[in-house]
Amino acid sequence: QVQLVESGGGLVQAGGSLRLSCAASGGTFSRYAMGWFRQAPGKERAFVAAISWSGGSTLFADSVKGRFTVSRDNTKNTVYLQMNIVRPDDTAVYYCNAAGQYSGSRYGPSPYWGQGTQVTVSS
């Protein structure tokens, strides 16, 4: 049973940067494709980014492309979401997802979610 713990959220000024981390345990992390999703108040949970098991392929939502990057360190069982040039509409709870379906231009989430970390971007 994979367990995921997000960290790194907080308050950041618009235009600034923030790095989120997701630490995984209870599975073979290096074999998992990983995804990031976010949910703002009153909105549905939405895809943000994903990375293949090897780190060789990534996907991004149009709303974050060019601003966010995703990476992983399999020696640390951790995936990162680097958020740059953040905007107020990036404010949301961010969740990581392990072992989803990664193929082509999509990442379909699995039932394995972290607890989420709050990101608030001030104007």
Side-chain angles (χ1 to χ4, degrees):
Q1 177 65 50
V2 64
Q3 300 175 50
L4 305 170
V5 179
E6 300 97 334
S7 62
L11 178 65
V12 62
Q13 187 173 226
S17 297
L18 199 66
R19 190 180 77 161
L20 307 184
S21 299
C22 175
S25 63
T28 307
F29 178 80
S30 62
R31 298 180 182 177
Y32 297 161
M34 301 289 293
W36 285 97
F37 292 72
R38 65 187 182 185
Q39 188 165 23
K43 297 185 180 295
E44 297 180 345
R45 189 171 298 187
F47 172 76
V48 176
I51 187 166
S52 65
W53 67 268
S54 67
S57 298
T58 57
L59 297 171
F60 298 95
D62 288 344
S63 59
V64 307
K65 190 173 184 179
R67 300 187 298 119
F68 292 8
T69 60
V70 62
S71 61
R72 66 192 299 159
D73 186 343
N74 288 347
T75 70
K76 299 180 179 179
N77 290 351
T78 300
V79 63
Y80 305 96
L81 183 69
Q82 178 67 46
M83 306 169 60
N84 300 316
I85 321 175
V86 296
R87 309 186 304 217
D89 61 357
D90 293 322
T91 296
V93 177
Y94 284 71
Y95 300 89
C96 65
N97 181 265
Q101 183 69 39
Y102 187 107
S103 62
S105 61
R106 59 180 287 272
Y107 177 90
S110 76
Y112 304 115
W113 297 94
Q115 85 289 344
T117 186
Q118 176 72 50
V119 172
T120 302
V121 181
S122 62
S123 60

